[in-house]
Amino acid sequence: MSSPAYGGGDIRGFSNPLISTMNSRISSSLTSRNVAVIGAGAAGLVAARELRREGHKTVVFERSNQIGGTWVYDPNIEIDDPLGLNSSRNIIHTSLYKSLRTNLPRESMGFRDYPFVTKDGNDQRDNRRYPGHKEVLNYLEDFANDFKLTELIRFETEVFHVGLLKDDDKDEKKWVVRSAQKIRGGGGEAVDEVFDGVVVCNGHYTEPNIAEIPGIDEWPGKQMHSHNYRVTEPFRDQVVVVIGTSASGQDISRDIAEVAKEVHIAGRSLTEGVPTKLPGHENMWLHSMIESAHEDGSVVFQDGSSVTAGVILHCTGYKYHFPFLETNNIVIVDENRVGPLYKHVFPPLLAPGLSFIGLPWKVIPFPLSELQSKWVAGVLSGRISLPSQEEMMADVEAFYLELEAAGLPKRFTHNMSDYQFEYGDWLAAQCGCTPSENWRKLMYYEASKKKRSQPETYRDEWEAEHLILKAYEYFQQCIPTSV
C-alpha cells in the first residue's frame, strides 16, 4: 500500500515549503489576542508558552488539580464501566498503567529548546534512557515551572461549552467559553467568557474505541478497555484475550503474561495462518482477529482456533472527543477523522479563531505540538498569514482524496507514521524556524528498528551512542529562558 501525498506537492505536500505557493507570509504588524487553551497536558503547556511568547493574553483551563494530562498516573479506574461506554460515567482522565515506560529514548522526546535530559544527583528521578511515566510528568512539571506557566492555568475548572459568539457581525469572530470551577460538594457557578481564539488541547486518550465482536452479548466473561488497565493482579491465573497489537497491546500483553495462565493476542494484521506461540514465552499466542464469542465462554478466531477465556481486554485505541465544542457541524468527528482541518490544525471556515494541537499520532508528540503551537501563535498575531478559506478547503479535500486512493480508512487521517518529519519541517518553515534536527530523526528510526527486532529488551539495550552524543552537542545550545 503506498503512502498518500499530503495536499499536493512532490512529497506529501511538504517537499519545498520555502517556495510553496501556500507558504505563509510574514507581517511586521502584530496583534495581541485573548486566547483560551483547553487542557494543561503537554500540548496545552507548550501552546500556552508559545502564545505568551507571541504576546497573546492566555488562559489555560484544566479540569484536574495539576498539569500533565495523560501523564498523570491515577490508580483508580472506571470500575462500574470498564469498557467506558457510558458517556455520563465518572471519567478517569488518564490511561496510564503502573509499569508504563516510554517507547522512545528520552533525548528524542523533549521540546526542541528544552531537552529531556537526566537529572544528575537526584536519586528521586528516573534516569533511564526509556524512563517510566513519572519521569515524563516530572519533565513537564519542570517545563511548566521554568517557564512560569502555572500562573496562566485555572486548575479544577471544567469547560462545558465552546462556541461562536452569537450575533457577532464583525469580520473576526469571537468565541464564548463556558466553564465552572469545581468546589467541594459539587460544581461552581458556570461563567461565560469571550475570547478571540480557542486552542483545543484536551488530548485523545480518554474515550475508548471498542472492537465489535459477534455474540459478545451472550459471552459470560469480563470485558475491559486498556484505559482501565493499571496492574497485573486482577488477571492472575486467568485466560485473557487481548485485542490489539499496537504499543499498548504489546506492553500490556507481556505485563499480564507474568501472572496470567494464558494470553492470546488478536489483531487485524494477523489474519493468516495458525496461532503462533510468541518467542520466549510459554503462555502467549498470536492469533488473527476474533470471529465470534459464545455463551459457553469460548472465543473463536478468524484462523479457526478457539479458546475458553475469562477476560477480553480491548487495547484498541481511542476516539477523538470534544463534548464541549459546538461548531454547528462545521467541525465533526467522522470515523475518528477530525475535520475538515487544514494541516491537522485549522478548520478553514473557522480559522484562525479555532485550532487543534496534538491530534497526530505515531509521532514524537512533544516537539510536533511545539511546532504546531508556534504556527498557531504566529497566525493569531498576524505575523503569519494563512491561505484563503477556499485554498485551505481545497488542500483538505485533496488530502482526503489521496488517503482514499491509497486505500487508507478515515481513522488513519491523523496517522503520521510515514511523514511526521516532513510535516514538522513544513511547520518550521511557516514559522521561520530551523527544521527538525537530523539526530532526532535518526534516533526515532533507530528506536523503531530496535523495537521491531528486540521487542523484549529494546528499552535497556541502546547501542547508537553516536546519536546520543549528537543530541547532547545540540543540547549545549539550549539554554532555557523564563519567557
Side-chain angles (χ1 to χ4, degrees), residues 25-38:
R25 300 178 295 278
I26 304 299
S27 170
S28 60
S29 177
L30 303 184
T31 302
S32 176
R33 308 283 188 184
N34 293 315
V35 185
V37 176
I38 313 299

Side-chain angles (χ1 to χ4, degrees), residues 209 318-322 327 329-341 356 359 361 396 400 403-404 408-414:
N209 183 54
Y318 297 84
K319 301 175 184 177
Y320 296 101
H321 189 53
F322 313 100
T327 65
N329 290 324
I330 293 175
V331 179
I332 62 172
V333 181
D334 179 17
E335 297 179 30
N336 230 27
R337 166 188 287 172
V338 185
L341 296 181
F356 296 78
L359 295 185
W361 49 285
V396 174
Y400 289 172
L403 289 173
E404 185 178 349
L408 294 173
K410 290 179 180 179
R411 68 176 186 273
F412 276 41
T413 296
H414 307 293

Side-chain angles (χ1 to χ4, degrees), residues 132-288:
H133 54 78
K134 185 179 179 181
E135 178 69 8
V136 183
L137 177 62
N138 290 156
Y139 167 76
L140 293 175
E141 291 171 338
D142 292 342
F143 179 79
N145 291 331
D146 286 347
F147 290 98
K148 297 180 172 58
L149 299 176
T150 53
E151 64 192 39
L152 304 178
I153 303 172
R154 296 183 191 171
F155 291 106
E156 296 189 288
T157 303
E158 185 165 4
V159 172
F160 295 99
H161 171 79
V162 172
L164 283 169
L165 181 64
K166 293 181 180 179
D167 303 322
D168 186 359
D169 296 328
K170 297 179 181 178
D171 291 337
E172 294 187 359
K173 302 295 186 183
K174 292 186 180 292
W175 293 82
V176 176
V177 175
R178 179 174 300 142
S179 66
Q181 189 170 25
K182 298 178 183 178
I183 58 175
R184 186 169 297 179
E189 183 178 350
V191 176
D192 285 358
E193 297 171 271
V194 177
F195 292 90
D196 300 309
V198 176
V199 184
V200 179
C201 307
N202 69 320
H204 46 90
Y205 295 105
T206 296
E207 193 71 12
N209 183 54
I210 303 299
E212 295 183 4
I213 304 171
I216 195 65
D217 291 340
E218 284 73 42
W219 184 73
K222 177 183 178 181
Q223 292 188 84
M224 66 181 295
H225 189 273
S226 58
H227 172 64
N228 285 305
Y229 173 73
R230 297 292 184 270
V231 294
T232 61
E233 189 56 35
F235 302 91
R236 183 171 297 278
D237 300 326
Q238 298 269 3
V239 176
V240 184
V241 174
V242 176
I243 306 175
T245 57
S246 62
S248 64
Q250 294 178 34
D251 283 350
I252 291 173
S253 296
R254 292 185 173 91
D255 217 14
I256 290 173
E258 295 180 4
V259 300
K261 181 180 179 181
E262 297 176 6
V263 176
H264 299 266
I265 306 168
R268 287 193 185 99
S269 59
L270 309 172
T271 56
E272 297 179 359
V274 297
T276 303
K277 184 174 283 189
L278 197 68
H281 294 271
E282 292 300 316
N283 64 339
M284 296 181 70
W285 287 265
L286 299 175
H287 296 260
S288 59

